[in-house]
Amino acid sequence: MHLQILLLLALLSSITATEPIKIPGHHVETTISPRARPDAPSGSYAPAVVPCPAEKPSIRRANTLSKRETDWLAKRRANTVDPMIQFLNRAAIEGFDAEAYIKNAAAGVRDLPNIGIAISGGGYRALMNGAGFLSAADSRIPGTTDKGGIGGLLQASTYLAGLSGGGWLVSSLYANNWTAVETLRKGGKDSNIWRFQDSIFKGLEVPGIFDTVRCWADIVEQVAQKKDAGFETSITDYWGRALSYQLIDAPHGGPSYTFSSIAQDNDFSKAQTPFPMLVADNRAPGTKIISINSTIFEFNPFEIGSWDPTTYGFAPIEYLASNFSGGLIPSSGKCVRGYDSLSYIFGTGSSLFNAALLKNLTGVDGLPKVLTETVTEIMKTLDADNDDVAQYVPNPFLGWNNATNPTHDTLELDLVDGGLDKQNIPLHPLIQPFRAVDVIFAVDSSADTIYSWPNGSALRATHARTKSAMGNGTLLPVVPDDTAFLSLGLNNRPTFFGCDINNFTLTDPQATMPPLVVYLPNAPYTHMSNYSTFTPSYSRQDIDGAILNGFNAATQGNGTLDRNWPACVACAVMSRSWARTRTAVPAQCASCFQRYCWNGTVVVGANVVAGGGGAEYQPAFKIADGSHSAGVRRVGLSASVLMVAVVAFLVAL
Ligand SMILES: *[C@@H]1O[C@H](CO)[C@@H](O)[C@H](O)[C@H]1NC(C)=O
Ligand SMILES: *[C@@H]1O[C@H](CO)[C@@H](O)[C@H](O)[C@H]1NC(C)=O
Ligand SMILES: *[C@@H]1O[C@H](CO)[C@@H](O)[C@H](O)[C@H]1NC(C)=O
Ligand SMILES: *[C@@H]1O[C@H](CO)[C@@H](O)[C@H](O)[C@H]1NC(C)=O
Ligand SMILES: *[C@@H]1O[C@H](CO)[C@@H](O)[C@H](O)[C@H]1NC(C)=O
Ligand SMILES: *[C@@H]1O[C@H](CO)[C@@H](O)[C@H](O)[C@H]1NC(C)=O
Ligand SMILES: *[C@@H]1O[C@H](CO)[C@@H](O)[C@H](O)[C@H]1NC(C)=O
Ligand SMILES: *[C@@H]1O[C@H](CO)[C@@H](O)[C@H](O)[C@H]1NC(C)=O
Ligand SMILES: *[C@@H]1O[C@H](CO)[C@@H](O)[C@H](O)[C@H]1NC(C)=O
Ligand SMILES: *[C@@H]1O[C@H](CO)[C@@H](O)[C@H](O)[C@H]1NC(C)=O
Ligand SMILES: *[C@@H]1O[C@H](CO)[C@@H](O)[C@H](O)[C@H]1NC(C)=O
């Protein structure tokens, strides 16, 4: 692989020699402003060696929340009180005095509802559907606090987790100053932000500002800077950088933006936003298979690490790539900063797309032939080496928990797409007992069925894992199998799982109750939002239609399908808190639970409710075709070819 990188560098320097690659800043007049900061000490994509702080960074055991998270939570929980009261007041559960109850519960915090949101993977489909949900839940967006809305739920939430495409969404919000989805959706003049009309596989362009060739040359140069600084690079570097042009509204896609810089942000440090978390899976040395036994890694603004009984430790994310050994940096050792590039991290969690990127770079029009060939060569070598992963070198967990940690003796930590273990909804960070989350809004845009609709398999995968040796104290309510799921139509409407706490028998009486899961599957409310995962570009109409569809799913069409829906969401939010305070459930909530809770019934058979035509699940519009376009049918040959290629790649794993 080194030969190819050298070739690429040689090529690059030949380009730069004749024609310096300089892309004018395109961050002009837009209301979007950066949040995560250009914090890498190098000022570029390259990490840099820096003196260690007085108290040297070290790895900690996963036997508690980090002190930084605990301190942050004290502020956040308090900050959720007012938005929660407002949200509950608007939802107006009959016979429930929300203000009196929440004020009382806030005193001890323990009884205050603790809300988490999980946005699944599924490429741009997941990003757009998830965006629709976040938009509906965000009280800053006009209309969301009107009758039928659920605005304010986001402001009342503690945690916001994203996986793969859902991780792109979460990252983009924090990279852009917690800008509301609505602003990002509208984009900016001379900016690529959320311009999903352009395929990054082809290379992005802003007419008159930069073209695809320059975009890719820019990316190649950024990655080369990391390599030149002495750090390993992998295809994930290229992938993450390419995505950045659409997700980070800063010149050159903000090469020096880091994940840890979110922690320094004014609003985040004052706990005015939820706590963002991304997930990835470890590919254990010498293995290719990702299974429920694979160790799951979490990224948050303070740390990277794992709660699993294998690695069971966390490193300070700001100092990633420092030479930790046995949890410590040797006394003579220096520290590294800037390795935790935001783009490398959201690229890591979505490395599934590496193969598609690799294969498609060869198709970029106008790239110099030698660059195309070089890229092709790199791809071949990468595939051959099974190097499609994000390599974290040095491995922070070297010599850590030797008895159980599968990477205790490897110099690199290999991480891959968080959905490859089938747990495509990032529930794992939210079901950690230390976090004591009461209710999870699980937005599922998985492509489980032939036509890219979910069938609940992500929930089942996580449930199975909680029951395995990897569970380590995590709990998730029972979820029925795929046949039952489809025949009951649970993938076509919101469903609550784990409503009845009396159905849980906790072996440890001190254990936290499993959360109630509000499952919100991608379904066609007003738009056919079932794009295949690898569809690389979308029409403006489809982008707007898919986001609005997610909004309509979150609000049940602003209450069109059920005028009690906002109250039912509020009932789900309150459920665990009422159980803790032994408060009687209001009658209106009892009827919500009757309607939305899965009651344990398993109807076996091919009675696919919303199907209408054959055994394969092919749902019809739940409200109306709001798109007035045949856009969805446009997904034609090239997407199928891409799918075949990617499936072939997955099989090759
Ligand atoms: C981020 O947005 C807030 C408003 O929510 C604003 O006060 C602040 O100045 C913005 N930060 C930057 C860096 O633009
Ligand atoms: C996971 O590990 C357990 C115990 O080591 C083993 O029995 C099981 O077969 C493994 N499962 C998978 C899917 O690898
Ligand atoms: C989780 O795993 C760690 C490390 O193996 C162990 O010490 C701890 O007791 C486990 N926690 C639970 C709740 O099982
Ligand atoms: C970490 O260790 C490697 C290998 O020994 C060495 O090349 C590198 O300079 C070290 N980095 C730091 C920051 O000490
Ligand atoms: C890559 O892009 C080309 C055209 O740009 C397309 O024909 C092809 O299907 C895409 N996918 C792969 C895996 O090559
Ligand atoms: C753990 O493993 C590392 C690397 O294999 C080794 O250097 C170290 O001595 C081991 N530590 C313990 C406590 O066994
Ligand atoms: C449900 O989804 C999984 C993939 O996640 C798939 O293997 C299974 O066949 C699906 N079941 C049905 C009935 O569609
Ligand atoms: C719900 O309200 C939003 C604006 O707040 C609107 O864009 C959308 O079309 C409405 N949905 C339905 C189904 O009327
Ligand atoms: C449970 O749900 C099924 C299907 O939704 C319904 O037919 C049945 O009556 C429910 N059972 C109870 C006890 O409510
Ligand atoms: C209650 O728990 C049992 C045993 O785990 C499970 O089989 C059943 O499906 C659960 N019922 C509900 C409604 O979650
Ligand atoms: C989307 O779903 C509809 C039916 O629900 C189906 O007819 C269509 O082919 C699907 N589109 C894709 C891209 O799978």
Side-chain angles (χ1 to χ4, degrees), residues 52 56-57 322-335:
C52 289
K56 269 200 169 168
S322 307
N323 282 331
F324 293 98
S325 176
L328 301 170
I329 294 172
S331 52
S332 58
K334 294 233 170 65
C335 283

Side-chain angles (χ1 to χ4, degrees), residues 398-399 402 408-409:
L398 178 71
N402 285 3
H408 75 271
D409 60 354

Side-chain angles (χ1 to χ4, degrees), residues 141-144 146 526 548 551-552 555-558 560 623-624:
I141 295 181
T144 60
D146 294 350
T526 46
L548 182 57
F551 185 106
N552 283 324
T555 59
Q556 295 296 292
N558 307 317
T560 308
I623 296 178

Side-chain angles (χ1 to χ4, degrees), residues 302-323:
F302 303 135
E303 299 189 307
I304 169 185
S306 181
W307 299 102
D308 289 344
T310 47
T311 303
Y312 199 62
F314 283 89
I317 193 167
E318 187 179 2
Y319 293 106
L320 202 49
S322 307
N323 282 331

Side-chain angles (χ1 to χ4, degrees), residues 270-606:
K270 287 188 186 145
Q272 303 288 1
T273 71
F275 189 81
M277 302 187 285
L278 264 52
V279 298
D281 297 337
N282 172 229
R283 174 168 288 162
T287 68
K288 290 194 168 191
I289 292 173
I290 302 292
S291 74
I292 61 166
N293 290 347
S294 302
T295 299
I296 300 178
F297 280 77
E298 169 186 313
F299 299 88
N300 69 51
F302 303 135
E303 299 189 307
I304 169 185
S306 181
W307 299 102
D308 289 344
T310 47
T311 303
Y312 199 62
F314 283 89
I317 193 167
E318 187 179 2
Y319 293 106
L320 202 49
S322 307
N323 282 331
F324 293 98
S325 176
L328 301 170
I329 294 172
S331 52
S332 58
K334 294 233 170 65
C335 283
V336 171
R337 282 219 310 112
Y339 192 93
D340 64 322
S341 153
L342 191 54
S343 72
Y344 194 56
I345 289 172
F346 62 64
T348 297
S350 50
S351 66
L352 172 61
F353 296 84
N354 283 356
L357 172 64
L358 288 173
K359 300 225 169 67
N360 267 266
L361 271 181
T362 47
V364 176
D365 283 343
L367 270 194
K369 193 155 170 278
V370 55
L371 177 56
T372 314
E373 284 169 4
T374 311
V375 168
T376 310
E377 272 311 301
I378 292 181
M379 293 171 204
K380 279 192 201 149
T381 328
L382 286 169
D383 273 350
D385 290 358
N386 185 26
D387 231 351
D388 53 294
V389 296
Q391 300 155 314
Y392 284 72
V393 189
N395 167 19
F397 301 99
L398 178 71
W400 174 258
N401 280 344
N402 285 3
T404 52
N405 172 10
T407 64
H408 75 271
D409 60 354
T410 56
L411 295 173
E412 72 179 55
L413 172 67
D414 288 346
L415 299 179
V416 297
D417 195 297
L420 286 174
D421 62 359
K422 299 196 166 62
Q423 300 187 73
N424 200 35
I425 308 173
L427 299 169
H428 183 262
L430 299 170
I431 56 174
Q432 294 307 319
F434 297 119
R435 294 206 165 113
V437 171
D438 288 323
V439 57
I440 300 175
F441 288 83
V443 183
D444 190 5
S445 313
S446 301
D448 291 325
T449 70
I450 291 186
Y451 296 108
S452 298
W453 300 107
N455 72 15
S457 67
L459 293 175
R460 286 185 290 277
T462 299
H463 180 263
R465 196 174 193 270
T466 63
K467 297 284 180 192
S468 80
M470 292 298 267
N472 211 32
T474 56
L475 293 167
L476 194 75
V478 175
V479 177
D481 70 18
D482 53 352
T483 315
F485 214 92
L486 283 162
S487 70
L488 292 166
L490 305 186
N491 64 336
N492 192 255
R493 59 178 174 83
T495 305
F496 302 172
F497 293 97
C499 294
D500 180 9
I501 57 158
N502 297 316
N503 200 40
F504 300 114
T505 43
L506 302 183
T507 41
D508 174 1
Q510 296 303 307
T512 316
M513 273 295 156
L516 187 153
V517 175
V518 175
Y519 178 71
L520 295 162
N522 179 28
Y525 285 80
T526 46
H527 197 82
M528 282 293 161
S529 50
N530 53 328
Y531 304 101
S532 80
T533 305
F534 297 96
T535 303
S537 60
Y538 300 80
S539 70
R540 183 76 253 174
Q541 238 174 352
D542 285 345
I543 298 168
D544 294 346
I547 295 175
L548 182 57
N549 189 68
F551 185 106
N552 283 324
T555 59
Q556 295 296 292
N558 307 317
T560 308
L561 295 173
D562 176 7
R563 63 183 178 79
N564 282 320
W565 173 246
C568 291
V569 170
C571 296
V573 164
M574 291 310 303
S575 176
R576 291 292 186 263
S577 175
W578 282 333
R580 281 197 292 276
T581 58
R582 299 193 161 72
T583 303
V585 173
Q588 191 182 10
C589 290
S591 83
C592 284
F593 294 150
Q594 182 69 31
R595 176 164 180 167
Y596 291 104
C597 294
W598 177 61
N599 65 12
T601 308
V602 183
V603 180
V604 180

